[in-house]
Amino acid sequence: MFKILLNLNLLVCVFGRKPNIVFILSDDMGWNDVGFHGSNQIPTPNIDALAYNGVVMNRYYTQHICTPSRAALLTGNYPIRSAMQGYPLKPGENRSIPTEMSVLPERLKELGYKTHLVGKWHVGFSYKKYTPNERGFDTFFGYWNGFISYVNYNMQYYNEVGNDGFDLHENTAYAKNYEGTYATNLFTDKSLEIIDNHDTNEPLFLMISHLAPHAGNEDNMNALTTPDLDETNKKFGYVEDPRRRNYTDIVYQLDKSIGRVVEKLSEKKILENSIIIYSNDNGAQTSGDFHMNSGSNWPLRGQKFTLFEGSVRGTCAVYSPLIKNAPYVNENLMHISDWLPTLYEAAGGDMSKLGILDGISQWDNILNNKASRNELLVNIDERLKYSAYIDYSGQYKLVNSSYQRPDGSNVYDVYAGDTGRGANNPKYNISEILESPTNLAISKITAKTITKQNIIDARTNLDISGRCRQNISNKMIDCKEKMCLFDLFDDPCETTNIIDEFPEIGKKISIKMQDYYNVLVPQKPNVDDQTSNPKLCDGYYFSWLEEDACPFKKSGGDTLYSYTMISTALVLSLTLSLYYF
Ligand SMILES: *[C@@H]1O[C@H](CO)[C@@H](O)[C@H](O)[C@H]1NC(C)=O
Ligand SMILES: *[C@@H]1O[C@H](CO)[C@@H](O)[C@H](O)[C@H]1NC(C)=O
Ligand SMILES: *[C@@H]1O[C@H](CO)[C@@H](O)[C@H](O)[C@H]1NC(C)=O
Ligand SMILES: *[C@@H]1O[C@H](CO)[C@@H](O)[C@H](O)[C@H]1NC(C)=O
Ligand SMILES: *[C@@H]1O[C@H](CO)[C@@H](O)[C@H](O)[C@H]1NC(C)=O
């Protein structure tokens, strides 16, 4: 009887109402930093519960860094269409997603959704028209830049002048008085408020775009802030490296947040008609000199900024009671730009209205495990001169050169990060997953509750660490001298260049990639406009190209004049800044 009621309920949902969509995006979180990929180091019971109850998109690709990834997610197009394929936005750059391109929240609004963004934006704010409230979000609570302090919501950016400004906004106002509240908790509280206040007669789109586990400010040695160091050390003392230990707690807090969100959807009785997506934006920045967070992409090769798998093979789990075939692991190719058409279709939109996009709807794929994509452009950075392309249903990947660090070293290309399998780590705690708020909430609305054995089986299957073709600690093929071709089915860790064995395949893929070289929209100059400096607005970031965008009295004329002079000199002398995020 219960089952029949349940099914009737689902039918009503499917035919009567558009699904609620909750999209949870983490920042710089590594492949090896969720439990369901096989690491025992960081407990992520709630993300794991989404994965084991839902669909793991196991061949899911993001972009290689934050701004391109967010541009692809929001526009449904490769970033080469919006000139966003290169470095992430520095705070004083006037770039944005072109206003003539529709973005995901605008599309969902057309279908009647209430749309909310909590957390990071990072696709432009020089003009108000580039900011979230004018790009389809009914409400916005978060920050415009690429990162922020976990406790005081200042964004520190040390260029030649030295930007350091407050960057937390509630819609168009500055969100003051939150100093001291830990960012992950604050963003969670705001998300719960949105769900609480939501009128369930309308469909909800909530994007929770976390700071975690990105480094919290420019200071590289103390930027991985946890809520309470004593607690961190007590709970995660088994992690030897203190930075990695903090990172572990940061991810653990992010996971707890997801549990609270799912619990709230359940309380509000809308979980039964919701789609919940967990995704990272790109791989971790394990080491290096900026924003290294000690995250781990192991055993995949490379870190953020590169086009190797450690950077672009994303972690993604989709849970929804609307997916009748779940739980299962989906091995079909998907790209982050696919979310716009996928969610538009899930929401019952008329697909012909979307026009031509690089993104391909994966809704049928997610529901029915039917491949709809054979290939994808990983990226082309025409300025830094490196690119990659995946073809043959995900089997072959062509890598044309590598990301060049300013100092010429190749630390970003290497295998790095904790294996999470060492004997110092605790055993994987399956009860913790079964008893997680996420699993408990899901158990209430499903007839297919998962078991301990389901979890063990799924996890064994999802752990790719035994499938590297060669011992990765010995291997580092260079793709600069000669292009690389990798067989990702046989060699997911990209250890062996097979371009000489399969020149025809390499040729065929390079012709396709060339087609994209021919149509890409070239990048704009990465000029950090010093008139954007928060010092010119009493320490607040503001839409500096807008008349009167700073609500505070600007500093005196003399100061403004000297900044203008400095900025003129800087604009002339600035080439690419060394500060990336
Ligand atoms: C944006 O910045 C670039 C580089 O400084 C400049 O050439 C361009 O005119 C600026 N555009 C706007 C709209 O301010
Ligand atoms: C770890 O977090 C604490 C706050 O709990 C902070 O004081 C400390 O600087 C952090 N360590 C690192 C390496 O970021
Ligand atoms: C490889 O990169 C070089 C340098 O950017 C570019 O000129 C060339 O067209 C690329 N080749 C392919 C096959 O994409
Ligand atoms: C595993 O998780 C359960 C449920 O959270 C907890 O009660 C138990 O103490 C954990 N076991 C270990 C060995 O930590
Ligand atoms: C891989 O190579 C490293 C370094 O040479 C060695 O310590 C390790 O035992 C090797 N692992 C395997 C599985 O062969």
Side-chain angles (χ1 to χ4, degrees):
M1 186 57 194
F2 175 65
K3 271 191 202 168
I4 293 170
L5 278 179
L6 201 72
N7 287 340
L8 277 178
N9 192 14
L10 286 181
L11 282 178
V12 171
C13 295
V14 172
F15 296 110
R17 279 198 225 152
K18 298 185 187 306
N20 305 297
I21 300 165
V22 179
F23 199 109
I24 301 161
L25 191 62
S26 63
D27 200 345
D28 289 6
M29 185 148 145
W31 172 267
N32 200 35
D33 298 329
V34 290
F36 73 87
H37 282 159
S39 166
N40 296 332
Q41 194 159 44
I42 309 181
T44 54
N46 291 288
I47 299 175
D48 292 9
L50 289 178
Y52 296 134
N53 283 285
V55 183
V56 175
M57 302 309 290
N58 204 28
R59 290 303 306 282
Y60 170 70
Y61 285 84
T62 64
Q63 294 299 136
H64 58 310
I65 23 175
C66 151
T67 296
S69 249
R70 286 153 207 267
L73 170 63
L74 288 165
T75 63
N77 274 308
Y78 294 140
I80 55 159
R81 311 285 187 185
S82 54
M84 294 294 227
Q85 62 270 35
Y87 279 126
L89 260 75
K90 294 181 283 181
E93 281 190 66
N94 64 20
R95 293 189 282 144
S96 74
I97 292 175
T99 42
E100 61 275 14
M101 281 179 127
S102 289
V103 291
L104 176 60
E106 290 168 343
R107 288 301 192 185
L108 292 175
K109 246 173 105 69
E110 285 165 22
L111 302 177
Y113 278 73
K114 290 287 164 206
T115 57
H116 308 271
L117 173 63
V118 177
K120 170 162 158 176
W121 177 238
H122 208 190
V123 284
F125 66 90
S126 56
Y127 288 99
K128 286 178 184 165
K129 65 182 179 206
Y130 298 161
T131 61
N133 286 93
E134 305 216 9
R135 297 291 350 234
F137 285 107
D138 293 326
T139 74
F140 169 58
F141 184 93
Y143 54 107
W144 288 335
N145 279 295
F147 58 90
I148 198 172
S149 147
Y150 278 87
V151 284
N152 71 15
Y153 304 102
N154 264 38
M155 196 276 185
Q156 292 181 336
Y157 183 77
Y158 300 127
N159 51 20
E160 287 78 351
V161 168
N163 297 18
D164 185 351
F166 186 79
D167 187 13
L168 188 68
H169 313 260
E170 187 146 27
N171 298 314
T172 53
Y174 293 102
K176 299 214 224 174
N177 306 323
Y178 293 105
E179 199 166 319
T181 310
Y182 189 67
T184 306
N185 296 338
L186 178 57
F187 295 148
T188 310
D189 291 344
K190 289 291 167 185
S191 303
L192 300 192
E193 231 173 73
I194 287 168
I195 299 169
D196 255 335
N197 295 335
H198 180 69
D199 174 357
T200 55
N201 293 313
E202 292 168 318
L204 168 73
F205 174 56
L206 169 59
M207 183 159 162
I208 312 174
S209 173
H210 278 283
L211 167 62
H214 196 288
N217 64 37
E218 195 79 330
D219 165 9
N220 222 8
M221 293 326 290
N222 292 293
L224 292 170
T225 317
T226 68
D228 180 336
L229 190 57
D230 289 340
E231 285 297 314
T232 307
N233 291 335
K234 209 163 86 195
K235 190 156 173 58
F236 301 112
Y238 58 85
V239 182
E240 252 167 62
D241 170 9
R243 291 178 52 79
R244 175 79 180 162
R245 194 184 307 145
N246 271 30
Y247 178 88
T248 298
D249 199 2
I250 292 173
V251 172
Y252 181 67
Q253 301 300 329
L254 167 65
D255 182 82
K256 274 209 299 205
S257 159
I258 294 171
R260 290 178 64 202
V261 168
V262 178
E263 205 167 43
K264 179 58 76 179
L265 293 170
S266 168
E267 248 176 65
K268 185 85 176 174
K269 303 211 169 5
I270 56 175
L271 181 60
E272 36 280 76
N273 188 31
S274 292
I275 302 169
I276 303 169
I277 297 140
Y278 166 79
S279 168
N280 62 345
D281 64 339
N282 47 251
Q285 185 139 4
T286 311
S287 56
D289 34 22
F290 288 102
H291 304 137
M292 56 178 185
N293 67 359
S294 304
S296 174
N297 305 317
W298 187 91
L300 299 178
R301 179 178 176 182
Q303 48 174 318
K304 180 182 171 183
F305 282 107
T306 75
L307 299 180
F308 293 111
E309 296 287 279
S311 174
V312 296
R313 185 165 173 186
T315 301
C316 180
V318 187
Y319 168 77
S320 174
L322 306 177
I323 309 171
K324 301 293 175 353
N325 291 321
Y328 79 98
V329 176
N330 187 302
E331 300 285 354
N332 302 319
L333 216 49
M334 175 168 185
H335 185 256
I336 191 164
S337 65
D338 294 340
W339 283 117
L340 186 149
T342 301
L343 296 175
Y344 193 76
E345 185 175 358
D350 170 0
M351 299 303 281
S352 67
K353 290 207 173 131
L354 292 182
I356 297 168
L357 296 172
D358 296 313
I360 299 170
S361 173
Q362 302 294 330
W363 189 232
D364 187 37
N365 176 29
I366 292 169
L367 291 178
N368 302 312
N369 198 5
K370 282 201 191 118
S372 61
R373 182 186 263 291
N374 295 318
E375 58 197 294
L376 58 89
L377 175 69
V378 180
N379 196 44
I380 297 172
D381 187 325
E382 82 286 4
R383 190 181 288 161
L384 298 176
K385 299 195 186 329
Y386 67 126
S387 53
Y389 197 99
I390 294 174
D391 200 355
Y392 294 84
S393 303
Q395 183 167 12
Y396 294 109
K397 176 175 176 185
L398 187 74
V399 180
N400 182 8
S401 195
S402 299
Y403 172 65
Q404 282 285 357
R405 296 183 74 238
D407 66 2
S409 71
N410 63 3
V411 57
Y412 285 21
D413 287 356
V414 305
Y415 299 91
D418 205 298
T419 68
R421 271 80 165 167
N424 54 316
N425 297 305
K427 272 178 64 180
Y428 190 55
N429 188 342
I430 294 177
S431 313
E432 196 180 8
I433 295 156
L434 293 172
E435 290 162 28
S436 66
T438 297
N439 194 57
L440 293 180
I442 291 172
S443 308
K444 285 190 204 147
I445 58 158
T446 183
K448 276 198 231 173
T449 50
I450 53 166
T451 65
K452 212 167 171 161
Q453 195 57 46
N454 295 149
I455 292 178
I456 293 168
D457 293 347
R459 190 170 188 247
T460 307
N461 171 33
L462 286 164
D463 183 356
I464 59 164
S465 64
R467 287 176 222 155
C468 293
R469 180 149 149 184
Q470 299 191 43
N471 186 338
I472 58 174
S473 54
N474 303 331
K475 276 284 161 190
M476 244 280 294
I477 302 290
D478 183 75
C479 304
K480 289 192 194 106
E481 298 299 310
K482 185 196 259 186
M483 278 197 235
C484 290
L485 183 70
F486 297 112
D487 180 342
L488 297 176
F489 287 176
D490 184 45
D491 183 24
C493 309
E494 297 169 301
T495 65
T496 312
N497 187 2
I498 55 168
I499 191 113
D500 291 335
E501 278 170 75
F502 299 99
E504 288 310 311
I505 292 177
K507 189 88 197 281
K508 215 178 131 192
I509 302 180
S510 61
I511 290 169
K512 287 192 184 176
M513 189 148 76
Q514 207 58 53
D515 287 344
Y516 285 97
Y517 269 87
N518 295 336
V519 299
L520 65 79
V521 182
Q523 294 170 54
K524 307 266 187 318
N526 301 92
V527 177
D528 210 355
D529 181 347
Q530 297 305 303
T531 65
S532 71
N533 197 318
K535 284 185 184 126
L536 300 176
C537 183
D538 281 2
Y540 292 84
Y541 277 99
F542 63 115
S543 297
W544 72 96
L545 294 177
E546 203 77 55
E547 287 287 320
D548 301 325
C550 175
F552 309 106
K553 193 168 65 69
K554 294 209 185 192
S555 314
D558 286 353
T559 326
L560 192 59
Y561 175 74
S562 63
Y563 273 114
T564 310
M565 292 308 286
I566 293 169
S567 83
T568 309
L570 278 169
V571 166
L572 291 174
S573 64
L574 257 182
T575 50
L576 285 180
S577 164
L578 289 180
Y579 298 93
Y580 314 128
F581 45 89

